[in-house]
Amino acid sequence: MENFGTTGSQPEWEALKSIVFIGNHLPRQCGIATFTTHLLESIALNAPDKACWAIAMNDRPAGYAYPSQVRFEINQSQLNEYSLAADLCNLNQVDAVCLQHEYGIFGGKRGSFIIELLRDLKMPVVTTLHTILKDPTLQDRHIMMQLAEFSDRLVVMSERSVEFLRDIYQVPEEKIALIHHGIPDVPFVESDAYKDKFGVSEKNIILTFGLLSPGKGIEVVIDALPEIVKAHPQVIYMVVGATHPHLKAEQGEDYRNSLHMRAKALGVADHIVFHDRFVADEDLLEFIGAADIYVTPYLNEAQIISGTLAYALGMGKAVVSTPYWHAQELLADDRGRLVPFRDQVALAREVIDLLDHPDECRAIQERAYRYGRQMVWSDVGRRYLDIFADAKRQRLRKNVPERQLETLGLRQQRLPEIKLEYLRRMTDDTGMLQHAKYTVPDRTHGYCVDDNARALIVVVTLQDLQPLDSALSAPAAVYLSFLGHAFNGQTGRFRNFMSYDRCWLEETGSEDSHGRAVWGLGVAVALGRDKGQVGFAVDLFHRALGATEHFIFPRAIAFAIIGIHAYLSRYSGDSRAKKMRKMLSDRLMQKFRDFASEDWPWCEDILAYDNARLPQALLLSGQWLPDREMLDMGLRALNWLKQIQSDTRDHHFSTIGNHGWFPKGGEKAQFDQQPIEAAAMVDACIEAFNCTRDEEWSAYAYRCLNWYQGENDLRIPLYDHATGGCRDGLEAQGANENQGAESTLCWLMALLSVYNHRGWDRVTPSEEPARPDVQKVS
């Protein structure tokens, strides 16, 4: 590990001509935006001959009124914009890229889209890690290891961060550099010099600042105030900062209002001042300057960096804090006081003790200020310049092994933008219409459960991918409402077909439609963000689950299994759902045992529609029950489907046609080829990759997606970029120009699966396989 405690000289920086910073940027209101802006400015001041500019991440389509140093903006949910940003850096021959990494500011699962950008860059990358998880999920671990692989240096801001990278993520120490969080360089000044501005002369000021959210623990300080005020009636608690924009979008000012009510109930409302705004630097320094004691009452230890704590300590404030990781480090050696989490009694005791003993309080302030001198932005900027120069010299970034080139070629293709305009065109206030004549919704055939279940899967999956898009909640409610109305409580089954005039055409739908409804509800439970919609989906899922016990058709069983697995990803302890998963999985496996042979590893005497959903269900159950026989059978069946649906000349995907299907002992029908088959294969191949970590499965998933885009038997694209819809299939004479619901939804499901897979579609050299006992399938 490198601790850049000394700074380099300007000659060492001569090789650097331009540096690009990627992250949030002011005026966006968040700590990462503030950090990125100040780091860029400090480096520009240290090296005015360098071209320093930024690529800003946007969490809303309109973006922000950025200053001139922001030359490019990325909508965090648009995957292709990450690649465009990489192209811009490469075309400008940038010498170094400095990425600010934080969970939640990049698109994709757990921010996986940023890996696309890093993978395409041709210059050294220095990544600053603002959060490092102590107990990462498999997904989080994978992201961090890819960040490490594609970065020449990882900059961290605490000793604990170094330990985590080394011990949890096995990052080589030579890649890690420790540089403290930057702080403004201000003189040590008594708080009285600032108090007049805020009208609090002769008051004892306790301060907390930063974006307001429940995890900050403000309520603990409010609970401590009655005791503090009893001992020191002149105390004022100032809470400075706007409510976090994302929290405000979801919950309004509920949290802030609850704090007001809490203070009023405890009789300390007159001793609290809320400054509800995002505070600019100049004002913030004055607020901190006016404080006698700074409090960070975070509710748990998992805070590895706190910029607000760094600022307060660096300006020489006496800090009382809970013992989260960064506080333990910065406040060591009597530079502050630590109190247990959620302990208002201890917090009150420490604050009162500091106010009772001003000499001790002053000593803590001086120790804090001296320690903070190493953290001023000018020094931090010089240390970063040293790292950029060193990274450019050494280029520790690994080369991609030759064996991965084919898979990378498929992976590097630009994915189409996710468009929902056509889905909205096909949806009214009842639900999604089944069919279209060309690109015009056809009301003749009305609606069905199958398509509304698929539509629900699409919108909630997109909600998970684009959590800030509140517009997705409305169509999700429409599709849930359709499923709710379709459920016949007397029979315990879903009706399927409804006429345009909202009359049900049957009392009981097919097993397939019921299975798809269970699947859609399971995904809505797993990925839904609206609590009311999730509650509705949970209730309907449970009412619909019982009927699946008697299912006999393999596809219906598979759909239900996939839905149950999705449901259990959120409610893993639901014993009824687990029992049903086991029962249905055993039933599907038994069908394969009864019918499969060496040359026909299938559960029926014909390959018909949505075939890959069967091995997908076996793969899911094989992993999570776990059951090795199911896993092996799923891989064997899927590999067989892959072989018989690969063109013998260039290996493009060539699905089984529905004019005759593929009977055992017969010929595979070439036409009509349906979009439903490609979507099923995409999902199943991605699941096979998850089981085996064999990148050939990822490669084939991309081939199946490309079937929609013209890599098919007729070299005709099915996806319509103009409308966002998908043509209804390949016929012998060409494409079926009607763009119905099933085709469009299958395209969107396949595209979303690949979007979610992007960033997870390769194995990092040091990564352990997800299922080490599963062999690759040739």
Side-chain angles (χ1 to χ4, degrees):
M1 184 203 72
E2 299 172 77
N3 189 330
F4 282 77
T6 59
T7 58
S9 59
Q10 287 199 0
E12 293 177 323
W13 306 337
E14 285 181 358
L16 300 170
K17 305 300 181 186
S18 59
I19 304 163
V20 171
F21 299 81
I22 301 174
N24 298 350
H25 196 286
L26 294 175
R28 181 172 172 179
Q29 297 181 3
C30 72
I32 302 300
T34 302
F35 184 95
T36 306
T37 304
H38 288 166
L39 179 59
L40 188 157
E41 291 171 347
S42 70
I43 288 173
L45 287 172
N46 273 293
D49 59 326
K50 315 300 180 191
C52 296
W53 49 280
I55 294 173
M57 302 303 305
N58 285 334
D59 60 349
R60 61 187 191 188
Y64 298 87
Y66 292 115
S68 59
Q69 62 259 35
V70 175
R71 297 190 188 176
F72 191 82
E73 300 172 39
I74 298 175
N75 181 331
Q76 70 177 52
S77 300
Q78 296 300 321
L79 176 61
N80 288 342
E81 295 187 12
Y82 292 79
S83 296
L84 292 174
D87 290 347
L88 181 67
C89 293
N90 293 333
L91 288 171
N92 281 274
Q93 298 183 325
V94 170
D95 290 297
V97 166
C98 185
L99 171 71
Q100 303 306 309
H101 182 268
E102 178 61 287
Y103 293 99
I105 71 171
F106 305 112
K109 281 189 176 180
R110 301 299 288 159
S112 61
F113 284 0
I114 193 60
I115 302 301
E116 289 293 298
L117 192 157
L118 297 182
R119 182 183 286 142
D120 291 342
L121 292 176
K122 298 179 180 178
M123 67 288 299
V125 175
V126 174
T127 297
T128 305
L129 300 174
H130 291 263
T131 296
I132 304 171
L133 301 175
K134 180 182 180 182
D135 299 302
T137 64
L138 178 64
Q139 291 181 342
D140 293 327
R141 178 179 171 81
H142 184 80
I143 286 291
M144 184 60 70
M145 295 180 77
Q146 289 204 86
L147 283 170
E149 182 183 3
F150 289 114
S151 300
D152 296 76
R153 293 290 190 279
L154 296 176
V155 177
V156 296
M157 293 177 262
S158 67
E159 294 284 358
R160 185 69 63 94
S161 300
V162 175
E163 296 172 12
F164 283 6
L165 284 182
R166 183 188 63 224
D167 300 338
I168 299 171
Y169 299 94
Q170 286 78 54
V171 175
E173 287 210 27
E174 62 268 21
K175 265 200 172 184
I176 306 171
L178 172 60
I179 303 177
H180 286 290
H181 193 294
I183 61 170
D185 188 2
V186 296
F188 184 83
V189 179
E190 295 287 349
S191 61
D192 291 342
Y194 293 94
K195 289 181 179 179
D196 281 343
K197 177 170 182 176
F198 301 106
V200 290
S201 298
E202 309 302 323
K203 302 287 187 181
N204 298 126
I205 303 302
I206 303 169
L207 174 70
T208 297
F209 77 87
L211 292 175
L212 205 62
S213 63
K216 299 296 178 66
I218 307 299
E219 61 272 19
V220 180
V221 186
I222 294 175
D223 290 345
L225 270 182
E227 283 300 312
I228 297 172
V229 170
K230 186 187 300 182
H232 292 274
Q234 298 303 308
V235 158
I236 295 291
Y237 179 38
M238 298 177 69
V239 181
V240 177
T243 301
H244 195 290
H246 296 171
L247 178 70
K248 190 172 182 178
E250 291 183 4
Q251 302 177 17
E253 293 289 4
D254 288 352
Y255 178 62
R256 183 182 295 274
N257 292 337
S258 73
L259 297 177
H260 281 284
M261 290 187 288
R262 196 183 199 106
K264 187 175 181 180
L266 292 171
V268 292
D270 292 340
H271 293 269
I272 301 181
V273 177
F274 287 92
H275 289 270
D276 181 10
R277 60 190 176 95
F278 186 79
V279 182
D281 282 353
E282 183 178 345
D283 292 336
L284 177 59
L285 297 183
E286 291 179 342
F287 275 114
I288 299 173
D292 297 293
I293 296 173
Y294 183 75
V295 179
T296 55
Y298 295 160
L299 300 181
N300 62 70
E301 67 176 358
Q303 182 83 18
I304 206 157
I305 295 299
S306 171
T308 62
L309 175 63
Y311 270 47
L313 177 131
M315 288 185 66
K317 298 292 119 177
V319 178
V320 177
S321 175
T322 51
Y324 56 90
W325 293 324
H326 199 204
Q328 292 177 34
E329 195 167 312
L330 287 190
L331 303 183
D333 300 325
D334 294 323
R335 291 188 292 268
R337 300 278 181 88
L338 296 176
V339 298
F341 296 108
R342 304 175 186 269
D343 189 340
Q344 69 264 25
V345 174
L347 192 150
R349 182 176 61 248
E350 294 299 334
V351 170
I352 292 168
D353 185 67
L354 289 173
L355 294 176
D356 284 345
H357 300 92
D359 290 343
E360 173 59 19
C361 187
R362 171 75 182 211
I364 290 174
Q365 292 170 342
E366 291 176 351
R367 286 192 291 269
Y369 185 79
R370 286 195 299 271
Y371 185 83
R373 293 306 82 208
Q374 63 181 312
M375 300 160 60
V376 297
W377 274 118
S378 55
D379 285 347
V380 168
R382 285 192 289 271
R383 294 170 190 175
Y384 268 92
L385 280 164
D386 289 343
I387 293 178
F388 298 151
D390 187 60
K392 186 171 176 61
R393 283 195 304 270
Q394 295 188 28
R395 282 317 314 264
L396 293 180
R397 187 172 175 177
K398 299 175 182 177
N399 293 321
V400 178
E402 290 184 10
R403 65 178 180 84
Q404 296 177 346
L405 292 179
E406 180 190 2
T407 309
L408 279 175
L410 288 163
R411 186 185 294 124
Q412 288 174 339
Q413 71 183 53
R414 298 288 169 83
L415 294 177
E417 180 184 351
I418 299 168
K419 293 183 177 180
L420 294 189
E421 289 86 347
Y422 195 75
L423 178 144
R424 293 189 176 101
R425 182 188 303 184
M426 293 288 291
T427 300
D428 61 19
D429 59 356
T430 299
M432 190 167 194
L433 291 157
Q434 287 190 76
H435 296 293
K437 291 181 178 179
Y438 295 94
T439 60
V440 179
D442 182 359
R443 302 180 183 185
T444 305
H445 301 284
Y447 317 85
C448 68
V449 160
D450 291 305
D451 290 332
N452 281 273
R454 293 187 187 102
L456 179 61
I457 291 170
V458 166
V459 294
V460 295
T461 302
L462 192 55
Q463 276 183 323
D464 187 54
L465 193 65
Q466 300 179 359
L468 303 178
D469 188 349
S470 59
L472 294 170
S473 182
V478 170
Y479 305 134
L480 275 168
S481 179
F482 187 91
L483 295 182
H485 186 51
F487 187 73
N488 187 334
Q490 294 180 343
T491 64
R493 292 285 298 273
F494 287 95
R495 309 171 181 94
N496 191 15
F497 296 109
M498 173 189 273
S499 65
Y500 185 70
D501 60 0
R502 296 189 177 183
C503 293
W504 289 109
L505 303 179
E506 59 195 354
E507 285 305 311
T508 301
S510 65
E511 285 190 6
D512 277 13
S513 63
H514 192 108
R516 285 196 180 96
V518 169
W519 176 10
L521 292 167
V523 174
V525 171
L527 303 180
R529 304 186 67 81
D530 183 298
K531 291 182 179 179
Q533 292 180 7
V534 171
F536 182 95
V538 168
D539 175 68
L540 188 54
F541 176 89
H542 276 289
R543 288 191 286 144
L545 192 59
T548 64
E549 181 179 352
H550 308 291
F551 281 5
I552 60 173
F553 294 106
R555 285 162 188 78
I557 294 171
F559 300 153
I561 291 170
I562 295 168
I564 294 170
H565 275 288
Y567 171 89
L568 288 170
S569 71
R570 186 162 193 161
Y571 294 110
S572 59
D574 190 319
S575 57
R576 179 170 176 248
K578 289 193 290 186
K579 288 176 183 177
M580 196 65 73
R581 174 179 63 180
K582 179 68 164 64
M583 178 190 303
L584 293 174
S585 300
D586 288 342
R587 185 174 302 163
L588 182 60
M589 185 64 225
Q590 190 60 48
K591 289 180 180 293
F592 275 88
R593 288 194 202 102
D594 292 344
F595 203 90
S597 62
E598 187 64 31
D599 61 344
W600 188 265
W602 202 242
C603 61
E604 300 174 304
D605 61 359
I606 189 169
L607 280 171
Y609 60 94
D610 229 357
N611 295 304
R613 297 297 176 193
L614 279 65
Q616 180 188 353
L618 289 176
L619 292 174
L620 284 165
S621 294
Q623 290 175 84
W624 300 109
L625 286 177
D627 188 303
R628 181 56 187 262
E629 183 187 14
M630 290 180 190
L631 204 56
D632 289 344
M633 189 71 247
L635 290 170
R636 182 183 165 203
L638 185 60
N639 194 52
W640 180 63
L641 287 177
K642 173 172 167 269
Q643 291 172 354
I644 63 178
Q645 295 184 109
S646 293
D647 181 79
T648 56
R649 293 164 297 174
D650 62 4
H651 305 293
H652 67 257
F653 181 61
S654 177
T655 186
I656 295 165
N658 67 4
H659 283 180
W661 306 116
F662 186 7
K664 184 176 182 180
E667 295 293 323
K668 169 191 160 190
Q670 185 175 11
F671 298 109
D672 292 348
Q673 296 185 24
Q674 301 294 302
I676 193 173
E677 303 305 323
M681 282 296 289
V682 167
D683 280 348
C685 288
I686 288 172
E687 199 55 53
F689 170 81
N690 293 338
C691 295
T692 65
R693 315 306 284 172
D694 184 346
E695 294 182 20
E696 285 301 315
W697 289 117
S698 283
Y700 201 75
Y702 281 89
R703 283 203 186 93
C704 295
L705 181 73
N706 290 340
W707 177 87
Y708 294 96
Q709 301 178 84
E711 291 187 20
N712 51 51
D713 289 352
L714 299 183
R715 294 293 187 262
I716 296 174
L718 279 297
Y719 171 58
D720 185 342
H721 286 266
T723 66
C726 179
R727 298 173 179 89
D728 276 352
L730 283 182
E731 301 173 348
Q733 66 273 24
N736 181 333
E737 292 296 334
N738 297 327
Q739 297 182 15
E742 179 182 289
S743 303
T744 297
L745 292 167
C746 286
W747 155 253
L748 288 169
M749 289 170 71
L751 182 62
L752 284 166
S753 291
V754 172
Y755 261 85
N756 276 322
H757 188 50
R758 205 78 169 221
W760 311 100
D761 49 359
R762 69 189 301 265
V763 182
T764 58
S766 57
E767 184 182 9
E768 292 294 327
R771 300 286 180 269
D773 60 336
V774 177
Q775 301 300 312
K776 290 187 176 183
V777 177
S778 59

